[in-house]
Amino acid sequence: MTVKLTVVRSGALTTVQDHGRRGHAHLGVPRSGALDAPAMNLANRLLGNAPDAAVLETTLTGCALRPDRGVTVVVGGAPCPVTLDGRPAAWGMPLRVPAGAVLDAGGVSAGVRSYVAVAGGIAVEPVLGSRATDLLSGLGPAPLRDGDVLPLGAPAGRPTPPDAAPWPAPPAELTLPLRLGPRADWFTPAAPHTLTSATYRVSQHSNRIGLRTEGPPLERVSTGELPSEGMVLGAVQVPPDGRPVVFLHDHPTTGGYPVIGVVAEPALAAAAQAAAGTPIRFTLG
Amino acid sequence: MTPSRPVQVRPAGRHALLVDLPDAERTGAFHAELLRRRAAGTLPPVEDIVPGARTVLLDGVAHPDELARRIADWDVPSRAADEGAVVEIPVRYDGPDLAHVAALWGVGVDEVGARHSSYPYRVAFCGFAPGFGYLTGLPAELHVPRRDTPRTRVPAGAVALAGPYSAVYPRATPGGWQLIGTMPDPTPLWDLTREQPALLTPGTRVRFVPEISGSVDGTP
């Protein structure tokens, strides 16, 4: 019989995530998937889950869950207090949750997104090969609500020992290495210098679609409209207000604002954990 | 039928290329060439081939610099007008912006449908929402601007115009396009029960087929 997980407290925004949907961008389907993929991968590894097991991604305020049978979980990613029926429990390592007990992943003490992985994975029906919630186009399960019941898969592997699990600390300063292009020529020659020398900060309006920034606006030489073109993950798109937006996993597949540069994908995991106000340094490389 | 070469291949990060093309027609031809080469197994692995209005994005490429050099040497044949699958979309020309579009076109309200459905269309690219295709084919003199104020809700199946494009909304979303008609049953536009969920994929040819006027019930 399938083990069920009841959502006791859904938190500000908790979604089901895995590695997302690849190869459908030409149909207008974003990649989606966990924003901090290394954190998801580590949580799954600690449980002996398959790499494509779906997990829960929380936002700032965590979530609380109650399984109807005993399950093993890992809460990782952004550090947060973990409790089992109100008693402190381990963060960042496998934890046994007895049947009917409430696992609460609390508000983050740093970072943005905690991950709750469960042995066997969240077994909602996949859509286009992925169980991920895509907030831009609405594919996959809706964000969790209190009272939702999630099916779990059968635990596949044996949990690995938690020694030396390298959970990186959320960034105090976010460094985003980027390569200029494809539309750097839409900006003044000073714009790349501004981008890489000024301090930007993470805007509170950031979400799974993009990391919005506050800082000096980047000026364009060309004010015309860019015909819609394909957008990649990590694209630094500059809307008319001149404040760069770094596209994250739920980004639109095509867009009409010029992209001054593209941030390397490995740096985006830290971007997913950079809280509002975190200083950002864009570097060339 | 002169072969044409892409104007410029631009880097888009470490694993993607954005190929700039001079116009929509040559963008479509270049996209078709990429699909031919992919089918023939002569294109190195590319995760996503995403056409835009005048670009094609190649994303998820292991060695983009090498591919960029190869692309520069390609001779890309023009695309034949009858190349690609045809999809017929039944339309009831009853949209709330019909009178406005008729005025912009300088025709009677009841002529908009006949005009709009008289041209062959092709999906230039997709975006905005899964299953939303940007269709080219409307002659330049019939291009209309977007509405000044977008609607907070455009119903699924709305047949709409903006700039050079026609489109059919696969589901209800906000939207700023001029609504001229309705596809009575829009479910085939995006159907996850099909192996290929999108009806309108880049390169697909589209014919709008007006529904007989007797079926118009007068409600928008």
Side-chain angles (χ1 to χ4, degrees), chain A residues 22-31 127-128 136-139 177 179-185 227-233 253-254 262 264 285, chain B residues 10-14 16 18 20 47-55 57 59 125-132 171 190 192 196-198 200-202:
Chain A
R22 295 180 175 233
H24 303 287
H26 64 293
L27 304 179
V29 175
R31 180 190 295 195
V127 175
L128 295 177
L136 184 78
S137 65
L139 294 178
R179 289 197 178 171
L180 292 176
R183 299 291 172 197
D185 52 354
S228 281
E229 63 187 26
M231 294 279 148
V232 298
L233 181 64
T253 56
T254 57
V262 177
Chain B
R10 297 165 176 268
R14 297 179 191 194
L18 186 70
D20 254 333
E47 198 162 80
D48 285 293
I49 297 177
V50 188
R54 291 207 289 272
T55 53
L57 174 71
D59 194 7
F125 59 99
C126 296
F128 176 62
F132 188 98
R171 60 163 197 233
W190 181 254
L192 284 165
Q196 173 52 266
L200 305 179
T201 57

Side-chain angles (χ1 to χ4, degrees), chain A residues 57-223:
Chain A
E57 177 182 281
T58 73
T59 313
L60 295 171
T61 61
C63 70
L65 308 159
R66 188 179 57 232
D68 67 351
R69 304 245 186 126
V71 294
T72 306
V73 305
V74 167
V75 180
C80 64
V82 179
T83 62
L84 261 185
D85 279 338
R87 285 185 296 277
W91 176 91
M93 60 180 71
L95 172 68
R96 189 70 187 166
V97 181
V102 173
L103 167 78
D104 193 296
V108 297
S109 55
V112 179
R113 295 172 174 96
S114 301
Y115 290 85
V116 183
V118 187
I122 309 292
V124 294
E125 202 57 38
V127 175
L128 295 177
S130 165
R131 298 181 167 89
T133 300
D134 165 5
L135 293 177
L136 184 78
S137 65
L139 294 178
L144 299 191
R145 290 184 306 183
D146 294 356
D148 283 354
V149 177
L150 301 168
L152 298 180
R158 180 174 300 180
T160 52
D163 54 323
W167 296 101
E173 183 191 68
L174 181 61
T175 301
L176 296 178
L178 89 162
R179 289 197 178 171
L180 292 176
R183 299 291 172 197
D185 52 354
W186 276 56
F187 297 86
T188 62
H193 178 72
T194 303
L195 180 66
T196 53
S197 60
T199 295
Y200 287 85
R201 286 182 187 277
V202 175
S203 158
Q204 60 173 345
H205 301 296
S206 301
N207 54 30
R208 284 186 45 85
I209 295 165
L211 183 87
R212 293 178 183 276
T213 67
E214 287 163 1
L218 301 178
E219 279 185 47
R220 284 196 207 172
V221 284
S222 172
T223 53

Side-chain angles (χ1 to χ4, degrees), chain B residues 8-91:
Chain B
Q8 202 173 359
V9 183
R10 297 165 176 268
R14 297 179 191 194
H15 299 293
L17 298 171
L18 186 70
V19 183
D20 254 333
L21 293 130
D23 54 41
E25 190 46 47
R26 276 174 282 189
T27 303
F30 183 73
H31 177 249
E33 176 72 12
L34 282 166
L35 297 191
R36 268 194 300 274
R37 287 176 185 252
R38 178 143 86 173
T42 59
L43 188 70
V46 176
E47 198 162 80
D48 285 293
I49 297 177
V50 188
R54 291 207 289 272
T55 53
V56 180
L57 174 71
L58 298 148
D59 194 7
V61 183
H63 304 290
D65 294 345
E66 188 190 316
L67 182 58
R69 281 192 297 274
R70 284 169 59 176
I71 284 173
D73 291 333
W74 288 1
D75 285 330
V76 178
S78 302
R79 187 171 49 178
D82 61 354
E83 183 179 327
V86 186
V87 162
E88 290 195 346
I89 294 188
V91 189

